[in-house]
Amino acid sequence: MMIAVESDILIDAWKRLLSDPRTSWVLFEHGTCVVLPAPEEDLAAQATAVLGEFGPVHAGGPAGDFRVVEVENVEGWVVTSHHPDVLTYVAPDEPGGQDHLSVGLCGRAQRDRDGTELHVVHVEDKRGPVDPA
């Protein structure tokens, strides 16, 4: 059973994790973040398309792959996926233990939920102002 982490806690965690002032990103309900290295006009739509394709877990394919990354400036972990710009935050109070396998499985399950439900909770638009000239 997964517990829901409040959106403001997730937003704060990702703001600290993605400290580059030029990085645009979109956060989904269960902690999955899609980083947008080449942001398009509608960031939420762009991220939703990426997560809709690369979020859901399918048995026997690369979507089940993950790696657990220990982070320094936030309590918890980041779980990677088979897409380099799709990352999931797992808080230390998530159920299931704190070993890498448990954390990775939790993060993968959260990514799967985000990839099927596709509920955006925050858009961080770091594009600079558009030059009117």
Side-chain angles (χ1 to χ4, degrees), residues 57-126:
V57 176
H58 306 288
D65 295 346
F66 61 83
R67 188 170 63 94
V68 176
V69 178
E70 298 204 21
V71 292
E72 295 179 15
N73 53 342
V74 176
E75 287 188 44
W77 304 266
V78 171
V79 178
T80 67
S81 72
H82 60 301
H83 189 287
D85 299 320
V86 176
L87 309 164
T88 304
Y89 170 71
V90 177
D93 59 348
E94 297 281 352
Q98 295 188 357
D99 62 276
H100 278 203
L101 180 59
S102 296
V103 169
L105 291 172
C106 179
R108 182 178 72 180
Q110 289 171 210
R111 173 175 44 93
D112 182 62
R113 285 188 71 190
D114 279 333
T116 55
E117 296 172 8
L118 298 170
H119 183 243
V120 172
V121 295
H122 181 77
V123 175
E124 191 76 11
D125 187 349
K126 295 294 188 155

